[in-house]
Amino acid sequence: MSTTTTNPTRPVGDSVKRIDALEKVTGEALFADDLQFGPGLLFGRIVRSPHPHALIKHIDTSRALAMPGVKAVVTGADTPKQIGLYLKDRHIFCRERTRYVGDPVAGVVATSEEIAEAACKLVEVEYEVLEPVLDPLRGMAPDAPLIHPDLGNYEVPNFIFPKAGTNISNHFKIRKGDPDAAWALCDAIVEDEFRVPHVQHVPIEPHVAVAKMDQRGEITLWTSSQSPFAQRNLIAEALGLSQSSVRVIAPFVGGGFGCKAGVTMEALAVVMAQKVPGYAVKLRLTREEEFFTTFVRQGLIARTKIGATADGKIQAMQTEYFWDAGAYTEYGVNITRASGYSSTGPYEIPNVRADSYCVYTNHPVGGAFRGFGMPEIHWGIEQIVDMLAEAIGMDKAEFRLKNCIRTGSIIATGSTMHPVGLVECIKQATAAIHWGTEERASAPHKRRGKGLAIMWKAPAMPPNAGSSASVRFNEDATVTVSVGGQEIGQGAFTVAAQMAAAALGVPYEWVRVEGPIDTQYNPYEWQTVASRLTWSMGNAVMAAAKDARRQVLDLAAEHWGEDVDHLDIKDGMVISYRSEEAMPLKKMVVYGLPKPAGQGWRGGPIIGHGSFMPSYVTGLDPETGQGPRSVVHYTTGCQAVDLEVDTITGQVTILRIAAAFDVGKAINPDQVRAQIEGGAVQGASTALFEGFQLKNGKLANHSFVDYRIATSVDVPFEIIPIIIEVPQDDGPWGARGIGEHSMVPTAPAIANAVADAIGVRVLELPITAEKLYLALEAQADGMPV
């Protein structure tokens, strides 16, 4: 244990100056700020912990407050209550303890970013450095330092199971059948360990928020957000405010992928704005801060044992997941839960034991990332299934067809599988890359290989996550749809407009979805996460449109004196199949229709309302993980990869990826294909390039110089998107989500293809050229790889 006194600012160099360069050249961004928030706009910067684990002994802000241009300094003394989505385990600003490098200790509000940045260096913080926990296995040890000594007192829902007095913030269990007895039935058993590093979302738009508190104490927050309603609720609770006193306005999002879900830096801006009533405060993260001070994808150590009989039937599976969830696990606890109930992958296995542990470490904070734990667990599942197929000498596609879930299968939680088209996904994806046909490599020093992986994913959410929508007609019969779900580039607004148009009976071109999302005016939506909007928000939009349609038809039926069952709306016209009457929606949907003989009018402005919440999801037994219906549904799919490995350099070239997913019903097939293609590229990026290099809790590769993501030159030569449609019973027109699922199987499919090409099995992501080169060198020297 040691004591240090430092003047730390966030450890990010002069990134602000680099980021500001373009704004200073053009002036456009600052001019836009002046237009919206006025010339009195203030700016915030954050003092961050330089230590992965430390006690805060003393903070002196006097020198910073004395600096000209500084308006306020905020510390943990201003944020006594805790905040968090599934587990309230952190303060907006640190109080007694810091838990990762970058943890916010203080905030400075000033008249410019430069002044705020300089003042951060004048905030003096005295720390007592503590031993950090830098590995989840170390965090599980009985003698590990406790990162959250008060874990047992934190607020948590009844489906999360923290272990007080440990670093385990959730332990989810599956107990199905008798794995111990089943091992004796197996002719082949495979056991191995797989590792997944932390990765970043790297959205093109970094986190940015502007907050303002008026003289009445009412707060407005403008922010790039996937979760405006969740942010309103969580920030209000943490600050002791009514939700009606917090307004969140969220324009289109410049890339999210999960990092802009929940609350990260947004609450910092709000607390700073409370110190300067009447002034707006802008907080913008630099690219460097974006890497490690917002949510990251959690790291994972997965240990799996699986066995099958000689005829290729899987008999048992045993899994332990050790999640490196970081300093705070408000989201990580639910990722742990989702990975636990999905731990078998999309296979029907009679005997299962799974333990999924969410472990606090002094690493960056784990949170939602596209796939929500499923890419991480499928990395191991789909490789060990390949290894088991090899052990019994069965074709890997046939092995999956023999064991994959089908309609009516009993899954790991004891639930019965709904109608599903996974078998067709496997057949079509493998056929698209000519599975079973050996094809020549493009050069003598290259080796060609093929691999596949299958997947499943359910929307990971609380059982009462709701959606709502409204549909209102304008005088000319155009339609305005209001929703609370966010457009983050996935096409949610397009699909909402399509659904409203189809349910109403008007042309799609007549429908407009209003934005930006504003919690003061838009109807409620839980969050734009879990690939749930097409399904959940879609059900709400459909209900609102049907409500408006019913009002129109009731009005027309009364006007014509007809039975409403004989009426319909087609292309913006109300028609009668019985009398063959017809009239346009224009004007009547606002002004109504006249009664006979000038006796007044009937009707009025037509506004439809709809809401949706799944009422049929049941709880799971905390000791066995068994229950009638653990999730709303699963989306399933298969990716098949054809690639080459350069034996001189180790470089992987993906020739083609065939990706087939059962989406229930493709509301917009072009957008579904775009999601499939985008997921394949992002999945390939995390497979081949991405991963944090953490050294003693500090991120070493916090820029695009050292953290590589896939570019156009790395994109597969050919991506073959395949849409399978087996309707979902509770989906609008049978639709299910597809946004996250398309990147889930990519990494293991690539790994399996690499193994097929060169006989090298990579167990830890990423599959870099360097790893393959060294493995090939070892292989040439006769060493095991």
Side-chain angles (χ1 to χ4, degrees):
M1 200 181 287
S2 63
T3 302
T4 63
T5 302
T6 63
N7 296 351
T9 85
R10 51 174 187 82
V12 295
D14 61 349
S15 300
V16 172
K17 295 178 182 177
R18 295 195 299 270
I19 296 270
D20 276 348
L22 181 61
E23 289 189 358
K24 289 181 176 178
V25 169
T26 64
E28 292 176 0
L30 294 177
F31 177 66
D33 285 341
D34 285 349
L35 285 178
Q36 184 165 2
F37 304 110
L41 177 68
L42 301 176
F43 298 85
R45 297 299 303 147
I46 305 300
V47 177
R48 300 187 181 275
S49 171
H51 307 294
H53 196 196
L55 296 178
I56 299 174
K57 308 301 289 185
H58 179 68
I59 301 178
D60 184 351
T61 63
S62 58
R63 292 177 62 211
L65 283 167
M67 185 174 182
V70 172
K71 300 299 182 181
V73 179
V74 177
T75 68
D78 300 292
T79 58
K81 297 183 72 174
Q82 289 171 303
I83 192 170
L85 186 65
Y86 292 100
L87 174 67
K88 295 188 186 303
D89 64 352
R90 65 182 172 99
H91 294 281
I92 296 172
F93 283 93
C94 297
R95 288 170 69 83
E96 297 86 5
R97 182 186 299 249
T98 71
R99 295 178 170 90
Y100 72 101
V101 174
D103 220 351
V105 175
V108 175
V109 181
T111 54
S112 72
E113 275 190 322
E114 292 81 4
I115 293 173
E117 183 77 11
C120 281
K121 298 173 184 176
L122 301 180
V123 175
E124 297 182 1
V125 186
E126 181 184 345
Y127 296 94
E128 181 182 325
V129 178
L130 302 177
E131 178 189 346
V133 175
L134 304 175
D135 178 270
L137 298 180
R138 170 61 179 148
M140 294 275 290
D143 64 341
L146 290 183
I147 298 174
H148 288 264
D150 298 326
L151 173 59
N153 299 323
Y154 292 165
E155 184 180 332
V156 63
N158 62 5
F159 53 85
I160 303 297
F161 308 109
K163 303 299 180 185
T166 75
N167 288 316
I168 302 170
S169 57
N170 191 24
H171 177 195
F172 183 88
K173 306 173 188 176
I174 289 288
R175 303 290 186 266
K176 178 189 177 190
D178 188 352
D180 292 333
W183 299 123
L185 305 175
C186 298
D187 296 298
I189 298 173
V190 180
E191 189 170 2
D192 223 317
E193 180 179 287
F194 304 87
R195 291 181 176 243
V196 178
H198 298 82
V199 300
Q200 236 303 326
H201 309 72
V202 290
I204 193 170
E205 173 203 40
H207 280 70
V208 61
V210 177
K212 182 178 182 179
M213 186 179 78
D214 65 22
Q215 300 299 335
R216 300 170 301 163
E218 305 284 304
I219 290 170
T220 302
L221 171 65
W222 295 264
T223 185
S224 177
S225 172
Q226 296 177 233
S227 309
F229 287 91
Q231 288 179 346
R232 178 189 68 173
N233 181 52
L234 293 171
I235 291 171
E237 287 183 346
L239 298 179
L241 302 171
S242 166
Q243 284 81 355
S244 64
S245 295
V246 179
R247 177 186 180 188
V248 180
I249 301 173
F252 290 145
V253 176
F257 312 109
C259 71
K260 292 171 183 172
V263 176
T264 54
M265 53 75 78
E266 300 82 11
L268 303 175
V270 172
V271 174
M272 289 192 284
Q274 286 184 305
K275 286 284 191 176
V276 286
Y279 288 89
V281 177
K282 180 178 181 179
L283 177 62
R284 178 187 54 184
L285 298 190
T286 65
R287 178 58 65 182
E288 196 168 341
E289 287 177 302
E290 188 74 30
F291 267 99
F292 64 93
T293 70
T294 63
F295 287 144
V296 304
R297 192 172 83 175
Q298 298 182 146
L300 174 65
I301 299 172
R303 293 173 175 170
T304 301
K305 179 180 179 181
I306 189 169
T309 50
D311 64 353
K313 195 66 179 173
I314 300 175
Q315 296 298 318
M317 188 175 190
Q318 180 174 306
T319 299
E320 287 182 302
Y321 291 139
F322 304 99
W323 289 96
D324 187 341
Y328 306 100
T329 63
E330 58 166 304
Y331 247 122
V333 290
N334 198 37
I335 296 171
T336 301
R337 181 176 187 269
S339 64
Y341 62 63
S342 302
S343 58
T344 59
Y347 299 98
E348 185 169 15
I349 303 175
N351 303 288
V352 181
R353 180 186 296 118
D355 291 275
S356 185
Y357 300 97
C358 188
V359 186
Y360 283 120
T361 66
N362 295 114
H363 281 154
V365 180
F369 185 103
R370 190 178 190 177
F372 207 75
M374 296 304 103
E376 298 93 293
I377 69 170
H378 282 75
W379 168 246
I381 293 168
E382 283 304 290
Q383 288 206 75
I384 208 162
V385 165
D386 243 40
M387 295 156 70
L388 185 57
E390 289 173 3
I392 63 170
M394 182 176 285
D395 177 83
K396 293 156 188 174
E398 289 301 319
F399 187 70
R400 287 174 169 83
L401 287 169
K402 191 176 188 71
N403 290 283
C404 72
I405 53 171
R406 290 168 164 78
T407 302
S409 292
I410 304 301
I411 61 175
T413 58
S415 306
T416 301
M417 190 66 187
H418 55 73
V420 62
L422 181 54
V423 168
E424 192 61 25
C425 291
I426 297 171
K427 290 180 177 179
Q428 291 205 30
T430 51
I433 68 161
H434 311 300
W435 183 266
T437 301
E438 196 168 314
E439 298 181 75
R440 295 180 60 183
S442 62
H445 63 284
K446 295 185 178 182
R447 301 289 181 268
R448 191 161 176 174
K450 296 179 182 180
L452 79 154
I454 63 176
M455 61 74 61
W456 69 345
K457 183 191 179 301
M461 61 187 198
N464 60 342
S467 300
S468 57
S470 68
V471 170
R472 68 180 185 270
F473 278 101
N474 303 306
E475 292 88 341
D476 60 357
T478 56
V479 179
T480 301
V481 176
S482 185
V483 294
Q486 181 61 291
E487 177 58 68
I488 58 175
Q490 83 282 41
F493 283 9
T494 300
V495 167
Q498 287 182 263
M499 289 182 175
L504 283 170
V506 301
Y508 165 78
E509 293 78 14
W510 290 14
V511 181
R512 171 183 174 271
V513 180
E514 63 181 359
I517 303 302
D518 185 334
T519 59
Q520 185 165 298
Y521 300 109
N522 287 79
Y524 175 84
E525 180 65 54
W526 177 61
Q527 294 189 88
T528 302
V529 296
S531 301
R532 57 184 287 279
L533 286 197
T534 294
W535 164 74
S536 183
M537 189 180 80
N539 273 321
V541 169
M542 184 172 67
K546 286 183 175 180
D547 181 33
R549 176 188 177 88
R550 176 191 54 77
Q551 295 176 52
V552 171
L553 294 180
D554 284 347
L555 175 61
E558 185 181 4
H559 182 69
W560 284 336
E562 292 202 40
D563 190 326
V564 72
D565 292 337
H566 298 152
L567 307 184
D568 202 352
I569 304 175
K570 296 286 187 182
D571 296 323
M573 299 286 291
V574 182
I575 61 174
S576 168
Y577 292 118
R578 184 173 183 178
S579 66
E580 298 186 358
E581 291 271 7
M583 62 177 162
L585 291 174
K586 292 181 179 180
K587 297 187 178 180
M588 67 168 284
V589 289
V590 171
Y591 301 130
L593 293 170
K595 295 179 181 179
Q599 298 302 306
W601 291 72
R602 56 169 67 93
I606 301 293
I607 303 175
H609 300 278
S611 63
F612 174 76
M613 186 182 78
S615 58
Y616 37 79
V617 177
T618 61
L620 299 175
D621 185 284
E623 294 303 317
T624 66
Q626 302 298 292
R629 187 165 182 174
S630 56
V631 298
V632 290
H633 59 254
Y634 279 94
T635 295
T636 60
C638 174
Q639 283 186 347
V641 173
D642 180 10
L643 57 73
E644 289 182 336
V645 180
D646 188 318
T647 59
I648 297 175
T649 65
Q651 183 177 349
V652 173
T653 300
I654 301 173
L655 304 176
R656 54 190 170 185
I657 294 181
F661 291 89
D662 174 12
V663 301
K665 171 65 178 178
I667 303 298
N668 188 311
D670 285 343
Q671 287 190 167
V672 170
R673 294 185 190 98
Q675 287 296 324
I676 291 173
E677 292 167 356
V681 173
Q682 190 172 13
S685 184
T686 58
L688 299 175
F689 307 118
E690 297 184 49
F692 274 14
Q693 296 173 24
L694 289 160
K695 299 176 181 178
N696 298 319
K698 296 183 179 181
L699 182 62
N701 56 331
H702 45 63
S703 76
F704 289 129
V705 174
D706 302 305
Y707 186 98
R708 190 182 167 197
I709 62 174
T711 66
S712 57
V713 300
D714 307 301
V715 172
F717 289 174
E718 183 181 14
I719 301 174
I720 307 166
I722 301 167
I723 298 172
I724 306 298
E725 295 178 307
V726 176
Q728 181 63 39
D729 59 355
D730 63 346
W733 289 274
R736 285 189 289 270
I738 182 59
E740 296 174 86
H741 312 80
S742 53
M743 77 168 285
V744 170
T746 314
I750 291 171
N752 289 337
V754 167
D756 181 56
I758 60 174
V760 172
R761 179 64 65 180
V762 179
L763 304 181
E764 181 172 0
L765 282 169
I767 313 167
T768 61
E770 180 183 13
K771 282 182 186 176
L772 296 184
Y773 171 80
L774 293 174
L776 287 166
E777 289 286 294
Q779 193 180 66
D781 293 338
M783 298 171 61
V785 293

